[in-house]
């Protein structure tokens, strides 16, 4: 190979490598998504599901309602973490798909999605419903994120959990910004 | 040759890189560290969100504006001594000082003598521009100690559609710390160049029953520069241009808040005395010229969310502002006579709004505001022999209604429409709309198209002030601005954000002092145009490393004369680097501020400005102890900024290198 060809080849290699680097940079959500993911992990650890909810070796399935991008963002944020020794699996679930919803252990309802339909669909099944729509826990959700002076806090509704056969630990209720029973 | 290039082996290093990246756990150190945190710790992590742009708290990328948030952590690590220094580091903003007040300009507009009147300054949502001068106090005359700031929200663009007058170029909201954030008591002391000292004592706590209280007081003083030379006064009669011991600055402030359930009672007071060495307004050189400014307010806020999803909020407040200048004048016979210039402002205001989200897609908000002056008095007189030039009492009342809507159209697009109508007792009504289109065309990018109109009502000073050389004009109408802006924001990789903003500001009926036959008179004369492009990149890492760099190109001209505006640099660059040297224990902050040449009132060049500031901050060296050491203007660059109409000096020299050492103790 001529020296010129070698130079061209080296340049192309470098360029392609640089390009791949740029394209392949894993896209992590903004810190808010990660903070939410971290909360969800804590929730999963501090809520008790009935033993029947898990087949042996089954991962903890988190369903994200609505936008596919929201599910992807959350999945990325988990970065292979586990809760109570269970692997975490994030799925995107269409809001109207009841059978897909009840197949999850935890359903997350992002901003902009309807709370009531999801809450109604999973009522009576061992599914923890977490959301960030305003007044989520007053609309029958179990745990709802709220923003407070730039930080993310949550509210809890233990009665909603009980309706689905779940028990919310006292620690979770203690840290909750407010506890609603309805 | 071509086949060699396409040989798969050519791409081996590239594929290797790709494999490495895909194989690595995405999110990495940042998220995995967060994932190990407990609930309590998570609750204290800041998520970037903004309240000021629209009255709902929202993510900065969803805000219908170009927004910057400056946090308490950054303020500390960059060693800012007052709000003005913090603002000076932010893209789009310009801060100058004439040894009397600190002046704020935005996006190429900082006409000498403007008291920051074209920006609305909010303190936790409370309007700080007073009713007489619209003055924005950000120097030592500012009400809130910089140590009490939780964060500052900078929202660019015209916001009269929500906030009414003064929200012309931008809105700045200072969010104070709460008792909960202090959790006990804190005391702080500092010493610096020119014998500058400050002392602060703060206590705050949130009790188990939810009651949150905070109370803080600060006092600061500095005799300033012992000797200042002004060649404009270099004559034997005026001490050869040397102003000796005429630069003193003394201020005290008090701030407190009480929060319980849906109610917040908050208030503060500041009093500042400044000696002015520049002999403005043709006063006698190297004699007394001292200004005293006192600003206070008390506000009751209410915010409630009903079970059915309505948000109700209201506030009622009482504001005070007193200004007093004592100045010595040469009587022409070797003697001195004393002039008094003063203003007394008392006003009250009330505001209420409701908002609710409908069908999960449409957020609607409706509100009304009433503001009225109780006292608006200006006086100007000479003592002995008593000679009164001005004793005028004005009155202002403003009734306003506003509506705001945010509609999510499909997933990646939202439309924002807001409008506000203000009815003034003086000139009548003004309607100001604002439109915004926000879309997320591809993942992790945001494009905002913004359009809005805003106004600034003529203030009582412009309407009624009168002296031997200057006259108010009660026929003034509001000045107006129409702004078009395109903002693009993009996240790159895990740590980088890029912002690009293109804007045009068209200003009309600007209130300016016009030379008259015997006196200068305020008139609605100016038509100006500013076009600009701003670019910024920011890298932020979880260990505390932060890199921010911005560049602005701005072109500000008067459409009436075709000339470039005074005090408007064409190129502005800002860089801040925060490095964690030794974890939390030691952090280094470096700031570089550059502005190109500015034109002065006499159309001369004030020259460019290179400022480098450096701070070392040590936290938790011993439990509760925080030490910071700063050098400002490290290069000891002698720079000047343009003077104003009241100055004999065409440019005013600024401070060279200064130091500060500060200790804070928490217990």
């Amino acid at each position: 190979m001529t020296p010129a060809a070698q130079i061209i080849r080296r340049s192309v290699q470098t360029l392609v490598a640089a390009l791949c680097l740029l394209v392949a940079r894993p896209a992590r959500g903004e810190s808010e998504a990660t903070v939410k993911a971290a909360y969800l992990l804590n929730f999963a650890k501090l809520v008790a599901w009935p033993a029947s909810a898990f087949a042996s070796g089954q991962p903890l399935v988190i369903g994200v309602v609505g936008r596919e991008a929201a599910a992807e963002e959350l999945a990325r944020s988990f970065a292979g973490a586990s809760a109570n020794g269970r692997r975490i699996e994030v799925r995107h679930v269409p809001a109207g798909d009841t059978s897909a919803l009840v197949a999850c252990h935890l359903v997350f309802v992002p901003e902009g999605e309807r709370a009531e339909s999801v809450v109604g669909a999973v009522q009576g099944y061992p599914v923890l419903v977490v959301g960030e729509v305003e007044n989520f826990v007053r609309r029958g959700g179990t745990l709802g994120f709220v923003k407070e002076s730039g930080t993310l806090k949550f509210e809890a509704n233990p009665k909603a959990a009980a309706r689905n056969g779940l028990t919310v630990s006292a620690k979770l209720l203690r840290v909750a910004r407010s506890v609603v029973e309805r | 040759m071509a086949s060699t290039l396409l040989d798969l082996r050519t791409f081996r290093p590239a594929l290797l890189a790709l494999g490495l990246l895909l194989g690595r756990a995405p999110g990495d150190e940042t998220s995995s560290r967060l994932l190990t945190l407990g609930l309590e710790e998570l609750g204290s992590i800041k998520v970037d969100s903004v309240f000021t742009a629209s009255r709902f708290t929202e993510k900065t990328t969803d805000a219908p504006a170009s927004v910057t948030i400056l946090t308490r952590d950054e303020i500390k690590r960059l060693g800012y001594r007052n709000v003005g220094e913090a603002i000076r580091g932010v893209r789009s903003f310009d801060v100058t000082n004439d040894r009397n007040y600190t002046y704020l300009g935005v996006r190429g507009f900082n006409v000498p003598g403007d008291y920051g009147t074209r920006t609305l300054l909010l303190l936790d949502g409370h309007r700080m521009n007073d009713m007489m001068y619209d003055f924005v106090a950000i120097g030592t005359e500012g009400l809130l100690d910089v140590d009490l700031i939780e964060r500052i929200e900078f929202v660019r663009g015209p916001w009269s559609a929500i906030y009414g007058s003064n929200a012309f170029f931008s809105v700045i909201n200072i969010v104070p710390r709460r008792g909960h954030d202090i959790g006990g008591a804190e005391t702080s002391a500092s010493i610096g160049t020119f014998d500058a000292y400050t002392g602060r004592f703060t206590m705050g706590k949130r009790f188990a029953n939810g009651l949150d209280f905070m109370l803080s007081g600060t006092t600061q003083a500095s005799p300033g520069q012992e000797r200042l030379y002004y060649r404009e006064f270099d004559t034997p009669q005026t001490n050869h241009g040397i102003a000796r011991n005429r630069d003193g600055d003394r201020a005290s402030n008090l701030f407190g808040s009480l929060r319980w359930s849906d109610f917040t009672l908050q208030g503060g007071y500041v009093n500042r005395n400044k000696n002015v060495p520049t002999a403005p307004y043709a006063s006698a050189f190297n004699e007394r010229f001292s200004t005293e400014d006192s600003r206070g307010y008390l506000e009751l806020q209410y915010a409630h969310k009903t079970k059915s999803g309505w948000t109700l909020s209201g506030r009622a407040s009482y504001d005070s502002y007193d200004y007093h200048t004592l100045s010595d004048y040469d009587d022409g016979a070797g003697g001195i006579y004393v002039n008094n210039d003063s203003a007394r402002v008392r006003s009250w205001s009330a505001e209420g709004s409701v908002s609710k989200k409908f069908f999960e897609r449409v957020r609607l908000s409706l509100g009304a505001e009433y503001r009225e002056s109780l006292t608006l008095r200006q006086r100007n007189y000479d003592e002995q022999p008593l000679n009164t030039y001005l004793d005028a009492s004005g009155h202002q009342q403003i009734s306003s209604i506003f509506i705001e809507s945010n509609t999510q159209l499909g997933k990646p697009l939202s439309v924002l429409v807001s409008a506000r109508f203000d009815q003034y007792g003086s000139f009548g009504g003004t309607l100001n709309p604002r439109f915004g289109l926000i879309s997320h065309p591809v993942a992790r990018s945001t494009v905002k198209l913004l359009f809005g109109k805003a106004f600034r009502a003529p203030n009582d000073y412009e309407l009624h002030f009168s002296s031997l050389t200057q006259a108010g004009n009660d026929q003034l109408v509001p000045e107006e601005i129409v702004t078009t802006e395109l903002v693009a924001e993009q996240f790159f990789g895990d740590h980088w954000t890029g912002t690009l903003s293109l804007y045009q500001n068209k200003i009309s009926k600007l209130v300016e002092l016009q030379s008259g036959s015997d006196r200068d008179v305020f008139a609605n004369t100016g038509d100006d145009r500013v076009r600009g492009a701003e670019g910024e990149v920011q890298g932020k890492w979880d260990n505390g490393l932060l890199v921010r760099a911005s560049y602005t190109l701005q072109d500000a001209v008067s459409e009436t004369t075709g000339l470039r505006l005074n005090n408007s640099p064409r190129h502005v660059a800002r860089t801040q680097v925060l490095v964690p040297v030794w974890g939390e224990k030691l952090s280094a902050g470096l700031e570089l501020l550059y502005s190109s040449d500015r034109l002065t009132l006499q159309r001369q060049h004030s020259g460019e400005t290179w400022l480098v500031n450096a701070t070392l901050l040590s936290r938790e060296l011993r439990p509760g102890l925080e030490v910071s050491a700063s050098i400002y203007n490290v290069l000891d660059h002698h720079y000047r900024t343009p003077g104003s109409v009241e100055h004999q000096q065409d440019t005013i020299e600024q401070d060279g290198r200064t130091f500060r050492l500060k200790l804070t103790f928490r217990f």
Side-chain angles (χ1 to χ4, degrees):
Chain A
M1 211 188 299
T2 62
Q6 219 164 7
I7 291 171
I8 294 174
R9 195 177 137 148
R10 283 265 165 80
S11 318
V12 170
Q13 282 180 350
T14 316
L15 205 77
V16 173
L19 222 77
C20 283
L21 255 165
L22 275 174
V23 173
R25 285 307 295 271
R28 189 178 61 85
E30 299 164 49
S31 60
E32 189 176 332
T34 315
V35 173
K36 277 181 198 151
Y39 262 119
L40 292 184
L41 271 186
N42 274 285
F43 294 162
K45 289 172 189 164
L46 296 170
V47 169
W49 274 266
S52 62
F54 291 94
S56 70
Q58 201 199 345
L60 180 94
V61 180
I62 296 181
V64 180
V65 177
R67 291 194 304 142
E68 228 172 304
E72 283 166 20
E73 203 177 15
L74 201 63
R76 273 197 303 271
S77 299
F78 276 116
S82 59
N84 295 342
R86 289 182 208 282
R87 200 161 54 73
I88 289 186
E89 183 186 320
V90 179
R91 290 179 190 169
H92 167 241
V93 189
D97 191 342
T98 306
S99 58
L101 284 171
V102 299
C104 302
H105 298 107
L106 189 159
V107 169
F108 179 63
V109 187
E111 182 78 56
E113 303 298 331
R114 285 196 66 78
E116 285 83 353
S117 58
V118 177
V119 169
V122 301
Q123 188 157 351
Y125 292 91
V127 179
L128 174 66
V129 190
V130 183
E132 55 182 340
V133 186
E134 258 187 85
N135 287 309
F136 189 72
V137 297
R138 290 171 191 82
R139 295 164 174 214
T142 301
L143 298 168
F145 288 118
V146 283
K147 291 251 179 81
E148 192 184 82
S149 57
T151 60
L152 203 62
K153 303 263 160 66
F154 67 96
E155 299 177 315
N157 178 354
K159 269 199 178 152
R163 281 197 287 270
N164 288 4
L166 310 176
T167 317
V168 179
S169 77
K171 182 182 178 195
L172 200 60
L173 295 180
R174 201 170 53 240
V175 182
R177 203 199 59 161
S178 54
V179 175
V180 177
E181 307 229 359
R182 66 193 329 236
Chain B
M1 188 61 231
S3 68
T4 332
L5 271 176
L6 288 174
D7 187 334
L8 201 66
R9 278 172 302 175
T10 307
F11 299 99
R12 205 169 44 198
L15 291 172
L16 221 109
L18 189 72
L20 243 158
L21 282 161
L22 291 179
R24 152 185 120 166
D28 262 344
E29 326 85 61
T30 321
S31 52
S32 52
R33 195 189 69 84
L34 275 175
L35 290 174
T36 59
L37 295 183
L39 289 172
E40 292 90 345
E41 293 158 296
L42 285 170
S44 63
I45 288 179
K46 289 283 168 205
V47 246
D48 284 349
S49 60
V50 57
F51 171 80
T52 316
S54 91
R55 297 196 173 193
F56 326 121
T57 306
E58 54 199 341
K59 268 163 66 175
T60 48
T61 47
D62 292 339
S66 170
V67 172
T68 297
I69 296 188
L70 192 69
T71 62
R72 189 160 92 84
D73 184 61
E74 290 167 51
I75 291 172
K76 259 196 227 177
R77 292 167 70 190
L78 288 162
Y80 293 137
R81 291 169 290 192
N82 54 51
V83 176
E85 288 187 340
I87 296 177
R88 186 172 62 173
V90 178
R91 165 172 60 92
S92 315
F93 293 89
D94 187 43
V95 173
T96 54
N97 182 287
D98 66 356
R99 299 197 176 277
N100 185 6
Y101 296 110
T102 302
Y103 302 85
L104 173 67
V106 188
R107 288 187 157 166
F109 193 99
N110 191 3
V111 288
D114 177 358
Y115 295 110
T117 60
R118 285 140 186 135
T119 283
L120 176 66
L121 180 70
L122 303 172
L123 178 47
D124 205 17
H126 178 81
R127 169 181 278 268
M128 293 305 291
N129 303 58
D130 71 278
M131 246 184 181
M132 177 69 76
Y133 305 98
D134 295 327
F135 179 42
V136 162
I138 51 173
T140 49
E141 66 274 26
L143 193 144
L144 195 71
D145 186 313
V146 76
D147 288 351
L148 300 179
I149 297 175
E150 180 58 40
R151 65 175 193 278
I152 311 180
E153 304 173 346
F154 298 85
V155 183
R156 298 169 184 84
W159 282 97
S160 289
I162 294 180
Y163 292 103
S165 187
N166 305 108
F168 201 76
F169 289 120
S170 67
V171 178
I172 299 177
N173 185 26
I174 303 177
V175 181
R177 293 163 71 191
R178 298 176 177 196
H180 178 63
D181 304 319
I182 288 152
E186 219 177 83
T187 176
S188 183
S190 79
I191 54 164
T193 314
F194 310 131
D195 295 329
Y197 82 84
T198 68
R200 172 178 65 91
F201 182 77
T202 307
M203 52 190 178
K205 193 175 161 59
R206 179 150 77 199
F207 296 97
N209 63 4
L211 180 77
D212 182 296
F213 98 97
M214 190 266 251
L215 188 66
S216 180
T218 300
T219 176
Q220 57 188 41
S222 166
Q225 297 228 37
E226 200 183 318
R227 177 187 181 279
L228 283 158
Y229 170 72
Y230 295 104
R231 92 186 132 72
E232 293 79 2
F233 292 96
D234 194 348
T235 66
Q237 296 81 26
T238 50
N239 201 29
H240 302 281
I242 296 162
R244 204 170 280 283
N245 298 322
R246 298 277 164 206
D247 189 33
D249 188 337
R250 202 152 37 83
S252 299
N253 59 58
L254 197 68
F255 182 81
S257 70
L258 199 62
R259 291 165 198 270
W260 191 73
S261 178
D262 293 334
F263 293 92
T264 301
L265 183 68
Q266 194 160 272
Y269 183 79
V270 58
N271 172 271
R272 185 195 70 149
N273 277 280
K274 180 76 182 78
N275 282 330
V276 183
T278 55
Y281 300 102
S283 57
F285 187 77
N286 198 31
E287 298 290 346
R288 172 179 53 180
F289 191 106
S290 69
T291 55
E292 180 178 3
D293 291 83
S294 309
R295 176 81 171 87
Y297 83 98
L298 189 67
E299 180 177 81
L300 181 68
Q301 297 176 14
Y302 172 77
H304 180 74
K305 269 190 180 180
T306 69
K307 285 177 181 167
S308 47
W310 288 88
T311 304
L312 312 174
S313 62
R315 55 176 86 216
S317 44
Y318 176 80
D319 281 81
S320 75
Y321 175 56
D322 290 283
Y323 152 81
H324 186 201
T325 288
L326 268 177
S327 49
D328 290 345
Y329 279 80
D330 195 336
D331 66 2
I336 289 284
Y337 66 92
V338 180
N339 179 265
N340 275 266
D341 189 41
S342 67
R344 180 182 163 87
V345 184
R346 297 289 181 273
S347 61
W348 74 279
S349 64
E351 181 193 305
S353 70
V354 290
S355 87
K356 184 175 162 57
K357 202 164 191 179
F358 298 93
F359 319 114
E360 308 287 340
R361 303 224 174 276
V362 185
R363 168 89 85 153
L364 259 184
S365 167
L366 252 174
E369 188 189 351
Y370 183 76
R371 277 186 289 143
E372 187 181 3
S373 65
L374 301 166
T375 309
L376 268 181
R377 187 174 183 200
Q378 305 182 71
R379 293 176 76 195
N380 187 301
Y381 62 93
D382 291 340
E383 294 171 5
Q384 289 173 349
L386 183 72
N387 196 349
T388 301
Y389 303 103
L390 168 73
D391 188 352
S393 284
H395 181 250
Q396 187 65 275
Q397 64 184 74
I398 306 141
S399 317
S400 324
I401 47 167
F402 57 88
I403 183 163
E404 186 184 4
S405 75
N406 180 347
T407 312
Q408 230 172 325
L409 287 177
K411 283 164 199 162
L413 188 70
S414 48
V415 181
L416 299 110
V417 182
S418 45
R420 171 165 164 143
F421 183 78
D422 290 88
Q423 178 72 37
Y424 276 73
S426 51
F427 62 81
T430 170
L431 178 73
N432 294 273
R434 181 175 172 95
F435 306 97
L437 211 62
I438 300 178
S439 84
H440 303 280
V442 286
R444 294 153 58 72
S445 74
T446 307
V447 177
K448 303 173 182 180
L449 183 64
L450 311 161
F451 178 81
K453 178 178 163 275
F455 77 104
R456 185 184 70 86
N459 55 46
D460 203 66
Y461 164 67
E462 290 157 338
L463 292 167
H464 299 128
F465 184 78
S466 167
S467 70
L468 277 177
T469 57
Q470 198 176 315
N473 175 356
D474 58 9
Q475 300 301 310
L476 291 175
V477 296
E479 46 188 47
E480 290 176 358
I481 186 169
V482 174
T483 298
T484 317
E485 186 174 2
L486 182 70
V487 185
E489 292 161 347
Q490 174 74 49
F491 287 89
F492 300 99
D494 291 355
H495 306 289
W496 294 93
T497 326
T499 308
L500 188 71
S501 174
L502 303 170
Y503 66 86
Q504 170 173 284
N505 285 331
K506 288 201 81 134
I507 303 151
S508 55
K509 295 183 266 182
L510 197 72
V511 175
E512 288 177 314
L513 257 185
Q514 287 298 45
S515 311
S517 50
D518 53 345
R519 297 191 291 179
D520 295 342
V521 183
F522 280 111
N524 287 102
T525 47
D527 282 344
D528 294 339
R529 193 231 341 110
V530 189
R531 286 198 188 117
E534 299 175 339
E536 182 172 297
V537 285
Q538 178 178 298
K540 207 174 174 177
W541 284 261
D542 218 39
N543 63 2
L545 176 66
L546 187 136
V547 181
R548 189 189 296 134
S550 71
Y551 166 71
T552 302
L553 174 68
Q554 52 199 16
D555 176 42
V557 294
S558 157
E559 296 215 300
T560 336
T561 61
L563 296 173
R564 219 181 107 193
L565 293 191
N566 295 332
N567 199 18
S568 174
R570 268 183 76 77
H571 307 275
V572 181
R574 309 266 155 85
T575 305
Q576 280 107 11
V577 183
L578 297 174
V579 185
V581 180
W582 180 21
E584 269 284 282
K585 290 220 165 32
L586 189 66
S587 147
L590 192 73
E591 177 175 54
L592 169 72
L593 309 171
Y594 168 79
S595 319
S596 65
D597 177 54
R598 298 160 190 260
L599 284 175
T600 67
L601 283 188
Q602 291 169 27
R603 308 302 285 176
Q604 300 298 309
H605 300 274
S606 73
E608 49 185 27
T609 308
W610 285 97
L611 278 182
V612 177
N613 305 320
T615 293
L616 271 178
L617 171 72
S618 141
R619 286 183 273 212
E620 300 300 316
L621 209 57
R622 300 184 60 171
L625 179 70
E626 203 173 276
V627 183
S628 104
S630 308
I631 310 177
Y632 307 91
N633 195 355
V634 174
L635 306 175
D636 200 19
H637 174 53
H638 288 265
Y639 69 107
R640 308 174 146 268
T641 52
S644 179
V645 273
E646 69 261 30
H647 296 116
Q648 191 87 45
Q649 301 88 334
D650 194 32
T651 56
I652 293 169
E653 189 176 344
Q654 304 294 306
D655 284 344
R657 188 187 301 126
T658 56
F659 306 88
R660 185 188 71 168
L661 182 71
K662 182 176 170 186
L663 269 84
T664 305
F665 196 66
R666 240 180 300 278
F667 47 91

